[in-house]
Amino acid sequence: MRVSDILRKKGSEVVTIEPHHTVHDAIQSLVRNNIGALLVTGPDGQLVGIFTERDILREAASHSDRLEETPVGDVMTRNVVIGVPEDPLEYVMGIMTQNRIRHLPIMDGEELAGIVSIGDVVNACQRETEFENRLLKDYIHGVAR
Ligand code: AMP
């Protein structure tokens, strides 16, 4: 299974925010959209960073009184680890585990093709395992008959 299999079902919609918006705006967007990460995009829509729940926790722990003033651009992660649609899920799991991240933006050339979370990967692997189990059970029952 590959990232493209997840995106085919999930779609390529990605919720973004611009760097001048505040951490408070980001919290509102995360809650409204029921998600854990925002991609931060520049004026031409290019990816300039990522901002997740973890970043909010960090900010809240050190500057909880400033969430309405702090721009996302000041506290986002700039070096974004990305994947491509052809990446196998085993590879994506490795990347997420090694980098201790739960969100992977997917780029198709210069274009954002979507975002994959650790939850999406676990769900896809579970579905695949269930399918394989069914095939094996059908095969075993067929042989035993
Ligand atoms: P997460 O586990 O995804 O909530 O993110 C944990 C930390 O890693 C946060 O500081 C994020 O900004 C950062 N992070 C999350 N995803 C990525 C990514 N794909 N590339 C770089 N940093 C990331």
Side-chain angles (χ1 to χ4, degrees):
M1 243 192 185
R2 293 174 190 273
V3 164
S4 52
D5 296 312
I6 293 182
L7 293 184
R8 201 169 304 125
K9 278 203 167 165
K10 181 183 176 181
S12 59
E13 197 208 333
V14 178
V15 184
T16 62
I17 192 164
E18 290 178 5
H20 64 271
H21 285 288
T22 66
V23 171
H24 181 260
D25 296 331
I27 294 172
Q28 299 297 320
S29 177
L30 289 173
V31 171
R32 199 170 47 244
N33 291 289
N34 196 25
I35 53 175
L38 296 169
L39 296 189
V40 188
T41 50
D44 302 327
Q46 78 277 25
L47 184 63
V48 296
I50 187 164
F51 189 71
T52 78
E53 295 159 327
R54 184 68 54 87
D55 301 310
I56 292 169
L57 272 184
R58 203 175 290 133
E59 278 310 297
S62 49
H63 312 107
S64 61
D65 52 331
R66 285 196 239 147
L67 302 183
E68 291 193 25
E69 294 110 63
T70 306
V72 165
D74 287 5
V75 290
M76 66 187 185
T77 302
R78 288 173 189 276
N79 287 330
V80 183
V81 181
I82 56 148
V84 297
E86 298 75 35
D87 282 338
L89 295 195
E90 294 77 14
Y91 175 77
V92 166
M93 278 192 266
I95 291 274
M96 286 177 154
T97 309
Q98 270 169 28
N99 291 282
R100 293 175 168 268
I101 56 176
R102 293 170 295 175
H103 301 91
L104 199 64
I106 307 301
M107 300 294 292
D108 194 357
E110 300 287 296
E111 298 279 302
L112 255 179
I115 187 166
V116 165
S117 74
I118 191 84
D120 297 328
V121 177
V122 170
N123 276 337
C125 289
Q126 195 189 351
R127 275 200 308 275
E128 193 177 35
T129 306
E130 277 170 8
F131 180 66
E132 283 171 2
N133 277 349
R134 231 178 99 191
L135 285 182
L136 280 172
K137 278 184 191 157
D138 288 350
Y139 173 73
I140 290 164
H141 289 141
V143 168
R145 230 176 260 145

